[in-house]
């Protein structure tokens, strides 16, 4: 810290945001250099929740390592597991039964809605509105109950295994999802009435944290944050996996590039997820929920890369195999890490009060950044 | 303000051969490997910066998106792995650069792809690869006084929960 103060011009103020700060939603530490109220530099200090998952995975088998990824981006745990399962299946050439594919996609989209709902409530809370948090959790709770019934867990699902899913759907699943759809459609207009249309909220979001299309690509920003800047980056559309190719849904793009655009992308994305669930919920094929696999999995020598679209952006799983039962090297390309690298660029020149709006619409999950 | 894009369902990506032809004119010394999912391009460490600039500004096939940057410790040498995508045509390539394990040094590409700045700091932190001319090469995830580079294969953790 002393060295950093030495580098700055006289009159600059250096303040710490975090590691314990309500708006970072985790242990993110930002060192801000301020000139009055204007931000001159944002420097993220990471590692407060670094567990070295990549190193741990080197000593875990291909069945075990999937579970450690639930602890990365805990809000899209199911999608993280999905990416790992797909990567192992790609290496082994396992064909996943149709029923398992549909179940996985259904769960993915439910997870996405749950994640966006939490983000929406927390986002509004960061900007000073407390009520939306309860509204968001009312719907999110229903999804968590559905997850609990089928997967046995509310947050770290661990439902995917190489070859399919761990267990069959709970008999109540279809009925409960349909109830959720009814509830969601009844309540979704409240989101717009409470927050989106609010003029104070709009003034705090519009024109704040601008990110141009070129910068978004250069900084490796993906997911809703990139789509707010007009970068088409939905992996479900660009490189379809599982059954996404056969489904009808739109990729939401906004071209404004400010915080409000990123907000609108996420809000509209929830409706697309609802569309996907509606297409699938009555058409779950019969059959096995898991392909037959060997007890001990050995990936052939080589490199395998699989990417999926999580609620935050593009998650890549890169496995280097030497033919053994454990990966030789594993790398998780986490969306949060790359999105964070753009924060300095976006916040510079803005006011310190706008930092929360910029950071909120990036939707950072800290364990995903630190891994 | 809001654009809804209706996508075609069939995508036509370039074949490995086509990408290879396009790149081999630019980088005559590169070695190609087509066995994997994507085209692998092996480049010498000294030529990497020059090659990166060329790949970034390739007309019609500009690899402008660095979506993954990592390193693999092969015990005898390090391999830097760069996953690149051309966002206009959605083609991917993998660039690999071999590094000497005793003196791992490579030019930074943080001025070409801005995302590389943090990613290179992470690789420096966990592998000890030195990125020449990097604007701010410090440890990222570990504390400043950490000894050793954890993701190297010969790293011994003083507190190993399995061996305790």
């Amino acid at each position: 810290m002393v060295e950093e103060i030495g580098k700055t011009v006289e009159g600059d103020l250096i303040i710490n945001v975090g590691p314990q700060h309500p708006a970072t939603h985790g242990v993110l530490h930002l060192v801000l250099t301020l000139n009055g109220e204007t931000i001159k530099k944002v420097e993220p200090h990471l590692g407060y929740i670094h567990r070295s998952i990549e190193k741990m995975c080197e000593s875990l088998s291909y069945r075990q390592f999937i579970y450690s990824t639930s602890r990365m981006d805990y809000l899209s745990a199911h999608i993280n597991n999905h990416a790992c399962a797909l990567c192992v299946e790609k290496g082994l050439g396992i064909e996943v039964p149709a029923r398992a594919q549909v179940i996985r996609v259904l769960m993915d989209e439910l997870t996405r809605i749950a994640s966006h709902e939490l983000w929406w409530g927390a986002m509004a809370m960061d900007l000073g509105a407390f009520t939306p948090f309860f509204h968001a959790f009312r719907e999110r709770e229903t999804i968590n109950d559905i997850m609990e019934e089928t997967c046995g867990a509310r947050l770290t699902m661990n439902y995917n295994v190489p070859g399919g899913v761990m267990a069959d759907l709970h008999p109540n699943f279809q009925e409960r999802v349909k109830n959720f759809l009814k509830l969601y459609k009844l309540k979704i207009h409240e989101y717009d009435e409470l927050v989106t249309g609010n003029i104070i909220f709009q003034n705090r979001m519009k024109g704040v944290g601008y990110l141009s299309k070129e910068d978004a690509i250069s900084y490796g920003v993906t997911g809703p944050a990139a789509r707010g800047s007009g970068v088409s980056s939905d992996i479900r559309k660009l490189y379809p996996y599982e059954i996404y190719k056969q489904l009808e849904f739109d990729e939401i793009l906004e071209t404004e590039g400010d915080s409000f655009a990123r907000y609108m992308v996420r809000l509209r994305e929830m409706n697309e997820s609802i569309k996907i669930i509606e297409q699938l919920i009555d058409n779950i094929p019969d059959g096995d929920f898991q392909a037959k696999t060997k007890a001990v999995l050995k990936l052939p020598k080589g490199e395998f890369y699989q990417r999926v679209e999580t609620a935050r952006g593009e998650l890549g799983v890169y496995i280097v195999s030497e033919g053994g039962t454990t990966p030789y090297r594993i790398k998780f390309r986490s969306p949060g890490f790359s999105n964070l690298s753009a924060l300095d660029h976006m916040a510079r020149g803005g006011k310190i009060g706008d930092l929360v709006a910029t950071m909120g619409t990036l939707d950072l999950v800290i364990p995903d950044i630190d891994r | 303000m809001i654009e809804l894009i209706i996508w075609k369902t069939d995508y036509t990506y370039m074949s490995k051969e086509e990408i290879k032809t396009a790149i081999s004119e630019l980088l005559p010394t590169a070695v190609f490997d087509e066995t994997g999912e994507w085209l692998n391009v092996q480049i010498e460490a000294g030529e990497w910066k020059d090659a990166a600039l060329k790949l970034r500004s390739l007309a019609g096939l500009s690899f402008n998106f660095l979506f993954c940057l990592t390193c693999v410790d092969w015990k005898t040498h390090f391999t830097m792995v760069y996953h690149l995508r051309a966002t206009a045509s959605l083609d991917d390539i993998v660039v690999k650069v071999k590094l000497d394990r005793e003196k791992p040094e490579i030019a930074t590409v943080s001025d070409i792809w801005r995302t590389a700045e943090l990613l290179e700091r992470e690789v420096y932190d966990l592998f000890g690869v030195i990125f020449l001319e990097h604007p701010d090469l410090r440890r990222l995830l570990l504390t400043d006084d950490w000894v050793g580079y954890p993701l190297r294969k010969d790293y011994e953790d003083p507190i190993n929960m399995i061996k305790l």
Side-chain angles (χ1 to χ4, degrees):
Chain A
M1 277 310 297
V2 178
E3 290 161 29
E4 280 159 16
I5 292 168
K7 279 182 216 162
T8 52
V9 188
E10 202 184 325
D12 282 358
L13 182 67
I14 295 182
I15 64 162
N16 290 295
V17 176
Q20 301 290 341
H21 188 274
T24 56
H25 300 288
V27 278
L28 177 67
H29 179 190
L30 300 173
V31 179
L32 308 182
T33 311
L34 300 174
N35 184 355
E37 255 191 290
T38 312
I39 296 174
K40 285 175 79 178
K41 194 181 171 194
V42 181
E43 197 187 330
H45 284 220
L46 309 176
Y48 288 90
I49 192 162
H50 177 62
R51 294 142 296 176
S52 205
I53 287 179
E54 289 172 13
K55 181 83 177 172
M56 278 158 64
C57 289
E58 284 176 13
S59 52
L60 293 173
S61 78
Y62 288 113
R63 283 189 192 282
Q64 291 168 330
F65 90 95
I66 293 177
Y67 307 126
S68 63
T69 59
S70 304
R71 278 82 185 168
M72 283 174 10
D73 181 356
Y74 52 84
L75 290 178
S76 35
H78 185 84
I79 313 182
N80 291 352
N81 297 161
H82 193 169
C84 297
L86 277 174
C87 197
V88 174
E89 282 152 15
K90 187 185 261 181
L92 290 169
I94 300 172
E95 203 162 306
V96 183
R99 184 176 173 83
Q101 290 195 24
V102 172
I103 294 174
R104 278 175 172 186
V105 170
L106 270 170
M107 289 295 188
D108 275 7
E109 295 311 317
L110 283 171
T111 312
R112 198 181 313 278
I113 295 171
S115 171
H116 282 357
E117 257 162 10
L118 181 94
W119 158 82
W120 179 79
M123 169 89 236
M125 195 169 68
D126 289 348
L127 295 178
F130 200 73
T131 318
F133 197 69
F134 297 112
H135 286 252
F137 265 60
R138 178 186 54 201
E139 275 86 65
R140 188 171 178 273
E141 203 58 22
T142 329
I143 299 180
N144 277 354
D145 288 343
I146 296 170
M147 293 289 181
E148 188 179 11
E149 212 170 43
T150 294
C151 314
R154 294 165 70 83
L155 208 60
T156 49
M157 273 74 112
N158 298 336
Y159 187 48
N160 279 309
V161 292
V165 290
M166 195 174 264
D168 209 351
L169 288 174
H170 192 274
N172 289 344
F173 180 79
Q174 271 168 305
E175 194 196 327
R176 292 190 78 150
V177 171
K178 279 177 197 165
N179 286 343
F180 163 72
L181 292 178
K182 263 185 232 158
L183 174 79
Y184 180 87
K185 282 182 177 161
L186 214 63
K187 302 286 186 190
I188 188 65
H189 67 95
E190 288 181 2
Y191 287 45
D192 286 338
E193 286 159 16
L194 262 173
V195 176
T196 318
N198 187 316
I199 192 70
I200 302 169
F201 177 77
Q202 289 199 4
N203 284 343
R204 286 202 66 181
M205 297 288 266
K206 281 188 178 168
V208 166
Y210 176 73
L211 182 69
S212 71
K213 190 176 177 179
E214 288 72 28
D215 286 335
I217 293 172
S218 183
Y219 277 102
V221 177
T222 51
R227 290 195 281 280
S229 300
V231 182
S232 160
S233 61
D234 195 333
I235 303 298
R236 296 174 294 173
K237 284 284 183 193
L238 303 182
Y239 308 96
Y241 51 96
E242 302 280 35
I243 49 162
Y244 277 115
K245 213 172 183 173
Q246 302 151 24
L247 297 171
E248 268 180 41
F249 65 103
D250 296 319
E251 178 179 10
I252 309 290
L253 279 185
E254 298 250 0
T255 46
E256 311 282 290
D258 58 0
S259 294
F260 194 69
R262 292 189 285 276
Y263 170 85
M264 286 309 286
V265 168
R266 286 210 181 80
L267 212 56
R268 299 172 65 86
E269 234 179 53
M270 288 203 273
N271 295 338
E272 297 304 315
S273 295
I274 291 286
K275 255 201 231 167
I276 295 177
I277 295 172
E278 278 178 337
Q279 286 170 50
L280 291 176
I281 191 65
D282 281 322
N283 300 316
I284 304 174
D286 292 327
D288 294 333
F289 57 85
Q290 204 184 102
K292 280 196 172 59
T293 47
K294 285 179 187 160
V296 178
L297 302 178
K298 275 186 186 174
L299 253 66
K301 198 175 163 166
E303 291 169 11
F304 309 96
Y305 192 97
Q306 177 66 45
R307 50 198 159 191
V308 299
E309 181 77 15
T310 74
R312 254 142 230 94
E314 175 182 341
L315 172 78
V317 180
Y318 175 58
I319 298 180
V320 180
S321 169
E322 277 281 77
T325 53
T326 58
Y328 184 75
R329 163 98 175 98
I330 201 157
K331 156 87 183 167
F332 298 107
R333 184 257 186 240
S334 69
F337 191 89
S338 299
N339 291 2
L340 175 74
S341 68
L343 180 64
D344 179 34
H345 175 75
M346 290 157 78
R348 262 187 207 199
K351 297 275 182 277
I352 185 172
D354 295 339
L355 179 72
V356 173
T358 310
M359 206 160 60
T361 47
L362 277 179
D363 196 10
L364 302 171
V365 167
I366 315 305
D368 182 40
I369 296 167
D370 283 358
R371 279 159 289 141
Chain B
M1 190 171 102
I2 293 147
E3 272 180 64
L4 289 181
I5 296 195
I6 311 299
W7 289 85
K8 52 182 182 181
T9 44
D10 288 316
Y11 296 90
T12 48
Y13 305 108
M14 281 168 95
S15 71
K16 284 183 199 166
E17 279 299 326
E18 285 170 306
I19 304 174
K20 189 177 162 182
T21 330
I23 295 176
S24 55
E25 288 170 17
L26 273 181
L27 311 167
T29 52
V31 183
F32 295 93
D33 174 17
E34 293 171 58
T35 48
E37 187 186 356
W38 298 317
L39 181 71
N40 278 333
V41 186
Q42 185 105 35
I43 293 172
E44 293 292 319
E47 295 165 12
W48 165 231
K49 182 86 176 193
D50 194 34
L53 271 169
K54 280 180 182 166
L55 286 172
R56 173 73 176 76
S57 52
L58 187 60
L61 191 69
S62 162
F63 290 97
N64 53 0
F65 187 38
L66 175 73
F67 63 96
C68 188
L69 184 159
T70 190
C71 182
V72 183
D73 181 6
W74 290 105
K75 287 172 188 162
T76 51
H77 61 273
F78 287 134
T79 306
M80 286 297 299
V81 186
Y82 300 84
H83 286 80
L84 300 173
R85 182 187 305 159
T87 48
S89 58
L90 299 180
D91 293 304
D92 305 289
I93 55 165
V94 186
V95 177
K96 288 186 180 166
V97 185
K98 248 189 194 182
L99 296 184
D100 183 13
R101 206 169 182 285
E102 301 306 314
K103 202 181 165 209
E105 284 182 348
I106 188 168
T108 178
V109 287
S110 58
D111 48 342
I112 301 171
W113 298 283
R114 302 290 299 274
T115 180
E117 191 175 325
L118 271 191
L119 288 165
E120 284 178 349
R121 266 180 77 182
E122 189 196 353
V123 170
Y124 165 73
D125 193 359
L126 302 173
F127 284 94
V129 175
I130 309 286
F131 292 91
L132 304 171
E133 292 172 39
H134 188 282
D136 185 21
L137 199 64
R138 285 179 294 130
R139 284 203 183 262
L140 180 68
L141 298 166
L142 306 175
T143 51
D144 290 341
D145 54 355
W146 194 276
V147 181
Y149 302 103
L151 279 182
R152 286 191 181 188
K153 288 286 172 187
D154 56 3
Y155 179 80
E156 280 289 334
D157 194 346
I159 311 163
N160 191 326
M161 294 310 286
I162 299 164
K163 286 179 188 165
L164 271 179

